[in-house]
Amino acid sequence: SQVSLYGGQVLSWRTDQGEELLFTSSKAIFKPPNPVRGGIPICFPQFGNRGALEQHGFARKKLWVVDGNPPPLHPNDSYGKSFVDLLLKPSEDDLKMWPHTEGNLAMVSRIRNINCKPFSFSIAYHTYLSISDINEVRVEGLETLDYLDNLLRRERFTEQGDTLTFESEVDRVYLSSSDVISVFDHQSKRTFQIRKKGLPDVVVWNPWEKKAKAMADLGDEEYKQMLCVDGAAIEKPITLKPGEEWTGRLELSLIPSS
């Protein structure tokens, strides 16, 4: 794996054979103040564009540091695995993330309120999955869920299909999902499994052709090779009282399929 200190962003996750599993645009900009178009940007302390904060919060545009004194990990989490502890320390919060690589990619965020006043936040691991063809992908685990459609002013709908497939732009926040979501890539014969904890919502996003052409850091046709499926906490912001801590976990794994 490869992690950028700018934004605390995972940029690469590869198989043992060297095959890249995360999408990064060929036109991605690797210089601040831009977050890289791809990998897994951390959207914190908000997802979207609401209130006074900038789009998707400030964490993805801040320089993180390697934490020299991380909290202890459970032995089962650390044995035989490589990991790095990154620390983002704005004036009021700590955000810690550990990417582990041993077949799976696991990230843990700990957010602690060290101020004297409560604060609220939302968060999303904005995961760009590398896929063969957006028309050949389906997502399972979202059936019967309510979702907010960002293309229709966050109007609330209920998912009617058994699986989610893609024929046009999609920008949705699925609410109160199970902790396991599967993304099937038929053409490459592989399945991404997303396991999450403390992250009740799932964002699904693909800009499709028109918006892709309008984005300077995304190739015109690259929307076909990417799909964002995020573990997130968006609908109900998390509030921390002074001294309280929140922990969220996201783990990606790859399962070969026939």
Side-chain angles (χ1 to χ4, degrees), residues 184-195:
F184 296 86
D185 188 342
H186 300 287
Q187 188 166 313
S188 65
K189 294 182 171 59
R190 67 187 183 194
T191 298
F192 292 98
Q193 191 169 81
I194 301 168
R195 293 182 176 271

Side-chain angles (χ1 to χ4, degrees), residues 39-134:
I40 309 178
I42 304 298
C43 301
F44 172 85
Q46 75 171 18
F47 181 85
N49 187 15
R50 287 173 284 172
L53 288 176
E54 63 183 282
Q55 172 89 356
H56 296 329
F58 55 76
R60 66 195 186 123
K61 294 185 178 180
K62 295 287 187 180
L63 188 65
W64 297 42
V65 296
V66 177
D67 185 10
N69 187 30
L73 294 177
H74 189 278
N76 291 339
D77 287 336
S78 58
Y79 179 74
K81 297 181 180 180
S82 59
F83 62 90
V84 63
D85 299 273
L86 300 184
L87 175 64
L88 175 64
K89 196 172 183 181
S91 57
E92 295 183 351
D93 15 282
D94 284 343
L95 178 61
K96 298 181 180 179
M97 181 181 69
W98 295 270
H100 309 289
T101 56
E102 187 182 295
N104 298 351
L105 175 65
M107 291 166 287
V108 177
S109 292
R110 294 183 180 181
I111 300 170
R112 181 183 299 121
N113 186 353
I114 60 173
N115 195 20
C116 60
K117 297 179 180 179
F119 69 85
S120 299
F121 66 91
S122 57
I123 186 170
Y125 292 92
H126 196 40
T127 305
Y128 287 76
L129 297 175
S130 177
I131 57 174
S132 56
D133 186 342
I134 187 64

